[in-house]
């Protein structure tokens, strides 16, 4: 355990144990007094776990804190979390390394996976998340399909009708990005179920034929 994480957990446990301050007061104090990104991010994620209002943190100077705050299911009509998530996912590699010193205990896997999950929960169309999807594709591979490419395929083709109608511009751009990514076409079969559910071919050659077919162009 790193010194940063250890120090934070000791302080948290001590505050709770002696009941000198309520949990939310402790978290609020960390957010306002700590200059450590890991501590502040961990505190925000405690608020997320407790479904507390993190709206004030959506304008925090630290992009990592803003992104953590956007993970709370704030009212759907509030556009700010969506904008913060899109900003974070415009550079998913940087987002993944916001807290390199020690993984945040609330996350299972890379930061970008949690951000994408939250973004998909706050949106309904592929067009809304297309920029994020295209930014994520260079990092996608057969081993990450359950957390990036797969859910995005369901967003792109929610009715499983990829083989029944002309591709929209957004669908074509996303499918083209998958076709171009060598690491998405290895021998690991994780992707096959997702492709079948979307109504897409499960081999790369057929994928490319679909994209090259003029009759599949959007609007045709």
């Amino acid at each position: 355990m790193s010194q940063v994480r250890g120090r934070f957990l000791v302080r948290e446990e001590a505050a709770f144990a002696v009941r000198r301050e309520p949990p939310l007061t402790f978290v609020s104090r960390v957010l306002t007094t700590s200059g450590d990104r890991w501590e502040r991010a961990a505190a925000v994620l405690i608020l997320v776990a407790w479904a507390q209002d993190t709206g004030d943190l959506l304008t925090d100077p630290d992009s990592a804190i803003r992104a953590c705050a956007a993970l709370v299911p704030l009212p759907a009509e509030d556009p700010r979390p969506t904008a913060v998530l899109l900003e974070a996912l415009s550079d998913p590699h940087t987002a993944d390394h916001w807290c390199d010193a020690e993984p945040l205990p609330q996350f299972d896997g890379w930061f970008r996976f949690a951000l994408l999950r939250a973004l998909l929960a706050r949106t309904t169309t592929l067009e809304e998340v297309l920029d994020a999807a295209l930014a994520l594709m260079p990092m996608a591979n057969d081993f990450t399909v359950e957390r990036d490419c797969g859910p995005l395929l369901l967003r792109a083709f929610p009715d499983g009708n990829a083989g029944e109608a002309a591709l929209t511009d957004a669908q074509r751009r996303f499918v083209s990005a998958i076709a171009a990514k060598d690491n998405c076409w290895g021998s690991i079969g994780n992707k096959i179920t997702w492709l079948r559910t979307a109504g897409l071919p499960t081999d790369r050659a057929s994928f490319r034929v679909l994209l090259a077919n003029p009759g599949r162009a959007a609007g045709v």
Side-chain angles (χ1 to χ4, degrees):
M1 179 181 293
S2 72
Q3 291 182 347
V4 171
R5 180 176 176 183
R7 184 172 67 251
F8 179 79
L9 294 179
V10 167
R11 288 168 54 195
E12 180 182 25
E13 291 168 2
F16 288 6
V18 301
R19 298 181 179 276
R20 289 190 296 186
E21 57 183 337
L24 283 176
T25 302
F26 169 77
V27 170
S28 177
R29 182 167 60 80
V30 170
L31 287 170
T32 56
T33 63
S34 176
D36 184 275
R37 170 181 275 178
W38 191 98
E39 285 194 1
R40 297 187 74 231
V44 177
L45 292 173
I46 290 173
L47 296 179
V48 171
W50 291 343
Q52 298 296 305
D53 185 356
T54 59
D56 290 346
L57 294 165
L58 292 171
T59 55
D60 192 273
D62 190 325
S63 54
I65 303 305
R66 294 196 301 272
C68 288
L71 299 177
V72 165
L74 295 172
E77 61 271 15
D78 188 343
R80 296 177 301 162
T82 302
V84 168
L85 293 166
L86 286 170
E87 176 190 28
L89 286 171
S90 68
D91 186 359
H93 182 270
T94 294
D96 275 349
H97 296 282
W98 275 331
C99 294
D100 268 349
E102 180 77 18
L104 289 162
Q106 297 95 329
F107 280 170
D108 176 21
W110 291 108
F111 211 130
R112 70 183 188 273
F113 298 150
L115 297 174
L116 177 60
R117 184 168 59 249
L119 179 62
L120 291 174
R122 296 194 61 86
T123 56
T124 57
T125 68
L126 176 62
E127 285 74 11
E128 292 173 282
V129 302
L130 181 61
D131 288 345
L134 296 178
L136 283 163
M137 282 311 302
M139 304 176 72
N141 58 64
D142 281 346
F143 296 99
T144 66
V145 65
E146 302 290 336
R147 299 195 181 187
D148 49 27
C149 190
L152 285 165
L153 280 170
L154 290 188
R155 173 56 56 86
F157 303 100
D159 301 320
N161 62 351
E164 301 174 7
L167 298 178
T168 66
D169 179 65
Q171 288 171 333
R172 177 172 288 277
R173 291 175 65 191
F174 178 53
V175 170
S176 295
I178 297 174
K181 188 69 168 60
D182 290 342
N183 287 352
C184 288
W185 298 97
S187 58
I188 305 300
N190 298 18
K191 61 187 172 292
I192 292 177
T193 299
W194 295 96
L195 292 169
R196 287 176 175 165
T197 300
L200 288 163
T202 58
D203 65 279
R204 196 177 191 181
S206 298
F207 223 72
R208 287 170 167 167
V209 168
L210 180 150
L211 288 166
N213 187 342
R216 299 286 303 173
V220 176

